[in-house]
Amino acid sequence: MPTTARFAGLKLAEDDRASLKKMLTGRTSMSARAWRRVRTLLLLDRGYTVTAAAEAVGSYRRETARIGKRYLARGLAHALSDDPRPKPTPLLDSTQEAAVVAMVCGPPPEGRARWSVRLVATEAVKRGIAPQLGRETARIALADHGLKPWREKNVVRADDQRRVRGSHGGRAPALRP
């Protein structure tokens, strides 16, 4: 197969080639992604073009080119591993999350018996706590604090209903007179 100018110099070191062949013929199990990377490096070493190697392993040209570039830049271990992925930025900062929790600990809006996740999300946007807030983000914020305001039995109670369960499971006297 003809070589491309980009990977004309992609020649594996003898020990790298031996370890890749051992990985393919060995009895150790590997993921399909790892197998594709090993096979791609061996094909590029044989002189396959990026396109031909990608077609042979059932991959994309871009992925095949990345594997070759990573081998040339940093060696075998880097070519077979994944690049670290960046963590997403949090959708709510601690102040906004505290404001959402405080809002839920208060009474629900007029005409509602209790808070729902959808209601928490829309009210947080209405009150200006966050510019936008999805239901899943609201659910996670409440779950982080152990709040389930949509349930009848919940730690969040109105002031006139503040009672604690006794050790026997029944109602204890009110906390406040």
Side-chain angles (χ1 to χ4, degrees):
M1 294 262 156
T3 61
T4 61
R6 189 178 307 205
F7 290 109
L10 180 69
K11 286 295 176 194
L12 296 173
E14 287 300 322
D15 54 338
D16 288 345
R17 187 180 301 115
S19 63
L20 288 174
K21 286 182 179 179
K22 186 177 180 182
M23 288 173 79
L24 282 182
T25 60
R27 301 211 183 265
T28 58
S29 64
M30 69 174 80
S31 67
R33 180 182 291 174
W35 180 88
R36 259 195 328 268
R37 289 178 181 166
V38 169
R39 191 76 185 117
T40 299
L41 284 173
L42 288 172
L43 290 175
L44 289 174
D45 181 50
R46 272 200 206 161
Y48 275 62
T49 63
V50 173
T51 306
E55 288 175 4
V57 297
S59 181
Y60 296 100
R61 288 187 77 246
R62 185 175 180 190
E63 181 184 359
T64 304
R66 276 189 189 149
I67 293 168
K69 284 180 185 178
R70 288 203 322 234
Y71 177 77
L72 290 174
R74 290 179 143 178
L76 182 64
H78 187 68
L80 296 178
S81 65
D82 286 327
D83 287 333
R85 296 189 177 145
K87 291 188 175 183
T89 57
L91 299 173
L92 292 176
D93 61 12
S94 59
T95 308
Q96 291 171 324
E97 193 168 327
V100 168
V101 170
M103 177 183 73
V104 170
C105 288
E110 193 69 32
R112 298 295 187 120
R114 60 180 70 101
W115 289 99
S116 67
V117 176
R118 188 179 304 244
L119 183 61
V120 169
T122 56
E123 279 294 313
V125 173
K126 274 186 194 174
R127 295 182 185 189
I129 294 172
Q132 63 179 11
L133 183 67
R135 291 185 323 230
E136 184 63 10
T137 306
R139 186 194 67 78
I140 290 172
L142 295 175
D144 286 347
H145 295 281
L147 297 174
K148 297 177 183 171
W150 51 88
R151 297 179 70 193
E152 236 177 279
K153 283 168 60 177
N154 191 22
V155 257
V156 180
R157 296 183 189 92
D159 283 337
D160 58 338
Q161 297 176 357
R162 279 187 67 106
R163 293 178 181 268
V164 178
R165 297 233 178 247
S167 59
H168 51 45
R171 288 280 198 180
L175 292 176
R176 295 184 195 168

